Amino acid sequence: MISMIGLFELLVACFGFLVLFLVLFSVVFLIVRLAGKGGASKEGRMRDADETRIIQELYDGMNKLEERIESIETILIEKEGRKE
């Protein structure tokens, strides 16, 4: 016959496995749900697109600035060459 302590341990073990199963099931469910949605909301994707556009504009602006600086360097070098 099962003693009361043995029965209690069996119930605690079953409860522990049930909690572990529920946690694992919840995690898998959330992963599947997020993977199905692409992981981002419409607002998040719009924000990402705006950030990407801003970064591209900054990059283009930096390239133009680099070209201008090179032009100024060329002009200054030519002026110094004439002075000598």
Side-chain angles (χ1 to χ4, degrees), residues 3-82:
S3 69
M4 291 299 281
I5 295 175
L7 184 61
F8 179 72
E9 290 174 351
L10 181 63
L11 287 174
V12 168
C14 288
F15 182 73
F17 283 121
L18 179 65
V19 169
L20 180 64
F21 174 75
L22 289 175
V23 168
L24 288 175
F25 179 77
S26 299
V27 169
V28 169
F29 177 76
L30 288 174
I31 289 172
V32 169
R33 186 167 179 184
L34 288 176
K37 283 187 169 183
S41 64
K42 184 177 181 181
E43 293 83 17
R45 288 190 302 269
M46 289 176 62
R47 185 179 61 244
D48 290 345
D50 287 340
E51 289 175 359
T52 302
R53 181 185 51 77
I54 291 170
I55 290 171
Q56 288 173 343
E57 288 175 0
L58 287 171
Y59 181 77
D60 291 339
M62 290 296 205
N63 282 337
K64 289 178 184 177
L65 184 61
E66 183 181 5
E67 290 174 6
R68 290 176 184 162
I69 290 173
E70 288 175 358
S71 297
I72 292 172
E73 287 174 344
T74 303
I75 292 170
L76 291 174
I77 289 172
E78 287 175 357
K79 280 186 178 182
E80 285 187 14
R82 290 182 198 157

